[in-house]
Amino acid sequence: MKRPTYFSLYEIALLSLFGALVFVARMALKIPLHVPGNSGILWVLPIIVGAAIVRKPGAGTYIGIVSGLLASFFGLEALHVFDILKYAAMGITIDVVAMAFGYRLDNPAVGFVAGAAGNVVKMAVNYAVHLLLGVQGTFILIGIGVSSVTHLVFGGIGGILAALIIGRLCRAGVVHQGDVPDDG
Amino acid sequence: MEFGRRVVLAVGVFVAIVAVSFLIDMAVGQVYAGAGGSTDSLLRTTTVVREDFRHGPQSWRPYATPLAIGPGDLPSGDWYLAFVELGTVPVGGNPGLARTGVVRVDYLFTDLAGTASFSVYGLRAGDGRTWTNRQSGYGTSGYYVSGTAAAGESPRWASPLEEGDRYVVEIAGSSRPVDDDVAWDTRTFWFERTGSGLDGLHITTYPAAPKGQVTETGDLEGTFYVTYTGGNVVGDLFMMVAVDRPQPDGFELRLESTFVEDDE
């Protein structure tokens, strides 16, 4: 007898591809702004779109873990194996926001909240890991105020873009909104 | 809860997060920089003695390809190398987004024989990827001090480093073992590829000229600055002190390093 699984094969394939897309976007696309959190624009997009398509708790977390594993294995960033933590944290946060807003991620306001929250939590985990590894607190924490604002803004912009993409996918019939829960 | 209220609540949470972040920022700034903007809490004093020259004799210093130690492009001479952790790091990047600054280094030599060469090594935060000051071409910087003391005996404890892109160096200074059987603290410097990692860190005598310059002096006491013009975070900073002949018993180098904010 076939055991039921939480994610279907199609969903797992889709989420894994989105996880890979996060990794590829991080590796291939660089925005030379030198402003903290600017990569959030690209980073949150696949996670939010993936969570919106699959519409199950854990979808964002799955994408985060897949992209974190890829980033760790390929040594994309300075933290290596600890990269999983920040990628997963972003996915978990987007999952939580998506659930709180009934998966209405096609709404730009919800997209902004999901993207901004994900990027800010990623920043917090990043600082925490750096402190844990003994990188001097002075230079990590100084600037965290402005950094939190820029993470919010860039993550929010990414979230709005994701919402617009999801809206287009809905209109094209790729994503079905029929089972969107009522807000209450 | 109504959809609109949830959005307003989320925005409220964001405002709270930003407020807490700024409070942390201010608190940390006060703790580390003090009320008067002084960074005395980051001051570190290290004394280097002849036993701290753990590497050499060799004509080159660590990088993806061997770099000269003395003034000029080509490795030459027999140098002995000591590595000292400075305890603080220069901060580059956008001054509107971070508290940028340089590391001020005050040195005082006693009984220096021959020439001492200062070079700087910085490890990128989180991994061992290492930067150093450029030795030749545009953007070269360095600091050389000449002394007149008589040379001492060759240090029997020193051994040359092996060429490569990864170096395990023994760190001089505070935790100097008193017993030969006790291992010295070591750090690994890793250079990603030739041509990379040479344009971030600089040695300068004027912080207003952050790209640095080559200085040769006979002053046994002086000051220079380590600057960082890259966009990453320097996790640890090391000063390499190299001497071109064995030092006498009375040799001593006192290094004081501290963080100096750009706008001070």
Side-chain angles (χ1 to χ4, degrees), chain B residues 18-32:
Chain B
V18 170
V20 168
S21 300
F22 274 100
L23 283 174
I24 292 173
D25 207 353
M26 286 166 59
V28 171
Q30 282 172 355
V31 167
Y32 281 93

Side-chain angles (χ1 to χ4, degrees), chain A residues 135, chain B residues 85 89 120-132 167 169 171 186-191 201 228 232-238:
Chain A
V135 178
Chain B
E85 185 165 9
V89 297
V120 67
Y121 286 85
L123 271 60
R124 178 173 153 162
D127 66 16
R129 200 175 310 177
T130 308
W131 303 296
T132 186
Y167 301 88
V169 299
I171 303 301
T186 59
R187 293 300 291 267
T188 301
F189 294 172
W190 164 52
F191 299 93
L201 286 171
Y228 178 64
N232 289 297
V233 176
V234 182
D236 297 296
L237 190 70
F238 297 88

Side-chain angles (χ1 to χ4, degrees), chain B residues 22-164:
Chain B
F22 274 100
L23 283 174
I24 292 173
D25 207 353
M26 286 166 59
V28 171
Q30 282 172 355
V31 167
Y32 281 93
S38 156
T39 52
D40 286 350
S41 59
L42 294 172
L43 180 75
R44 176 182 285 207
T45 303
T46 310
T47 304
V48 178
V49 296
R50 64 192 296 263
E51 285 77 18
D52 289 326
F53 292 99
R54 309 295 301 174
H55 304 287
Q58 59 188 79
S59 60
W60 52 274
R61 66 183 177 92
Y63 181 61
T65 55
L67 294 179
I69 299 174
D73 300 354
L74 297 174
S76 64
D78 288 329
W79 296 79
Y80 296 93
L81 282 51
F83 293 86
V84 180
E85 185 165 9
L86 293 182
T88 187
V89 297
V91 181
N94 188 336
L97 298 170
R99 193 163 285 151
T100 57
V102 301
V103 174
R104 176 190 165 118
V105 179
D106 296 306
Y107 68 87
L108 171 62
F109 281 103
T110 305
D111 285 349
L112 171 64
T115 300
S117 164
F118 289 101
S119 303
V120 67
Y121 286 85
L123 271 60
R124 178 173 153 162
D127 66 16
R129 200 175 310 177
T130 308
W131 303 296
T132 186
N133 53 301
R134 184 172 279 279
Q135 188 68 32
S136 62
Y138 180 75
T140 300
S141 64
Y143 200 94
Y144 304 94
V145 181
S146 299
T148 53
E153 289 178 13
S154 294
R156 57 180 169 73
W157 51 83
S159 57
L161 289 164
E162 283 184 28
E163 280 187 39

Side-chain angles (χ1 to χ4, degrees), chain B residues 217-240:
Chain B
T217 178
D219 292 338
L220 296 179
E221 183 174 8
T223 299
F224 57 86
Y225 300 86
V226 178
T227 60
Y228 178 64
T229 54
N232 289 297
V233 176
V234 182
D236 297 296
L237 190 70
F238 297 88
M239 182 62 66
M240 188 199 84

Side-chain angles (χ1 to χ4, degrees), chain A residues 21-64:
Chain A
L21 190 59
V22 172
F23 170 71
V24 170
R26 292 279 296 127
M27 198 167 68
L29 304 173
K30 303 278 184 198
I31 306 172
L33 281 177
H34 295 293
V35 176
N38 76 73
S39 62
I41 290 182
L42 303 168
W43 204 333
V44 300
L45 266 165
I47 302 182
I48 295 177
V49 173
I53 293 175
V54 172
R55 302 169 65 78
K56 280 182 184 172
T61 308
Y62 187 100
I63 297 173

